[in-house]
Amino acid sequence: MATYLILCRSLTYAQKAARALERVGITATILRTPKGLSQEGCSYCVRVSERSITIAMTALRETNAKITRVYVCHPTGEIREVAR
């Protein structure tokens, strides 16, 4: 199953996004953005499962979360950017 990385500009924004997701029942893991995915230098991301991404994006839009990019990570190792 694929996972999604929701990139945030800072640890604070990632923590706020994770809290918003947890309020709607989605488990979110905060981690450093993998090298090569972040154009801003040091950033953090929130990882969510494929089955939760639709609800997660809706919750983040409703809370005006400061996200910069969204990537899908396939089990094959392929990573690609997707529309927010």
Side-chain angles (χ1 to χ4, degrees):
M1 181 184 309
T3 59
Y4 284 77
L5 298 178
I6 302 168
L7 277 62
C8 302
R9 286 186 286 175
S10 69
L11 177 58
T12 302
Y13 287 129
Q15 290 169 331
K16 288 179 181 181
R19 279 194 298 273
L21 296 176
E22 289 175 3
R23 279 194 295 271
V24 295
I26 296 173
T27 301
T29 305
I30 299 171
L31 50 123
R32 290 286 307 260
T33 300
K35 288 186 179 187
L37 295 185
S38 175
Q39 296 177 343
E40 293 84 29
C42 159
S43 72
Y44 286 81
C45 61
V46 179
R47 183 176 53 203
V48 298
S49 68
E50 181 177 32
R51 61 186 152 87
S52 302
I53 191 63
T54 304
I55 297 167
M57 293 308 294
T58 300
L60 293 173
R61 275 188 217 101
E62 289 175 355
T63 60
N64 294 319
K66 306 283 191 222
I67 62 173
T68 58
R69 297 173 183 265
V70 179
Y71 289 91
V72 60
C73 304
H74 295 282
T76 60
E78 176 191 2
I79 299 174
R80 66 181 170 83
E81 187 174 359
V82 295
R84 294 187 272 159

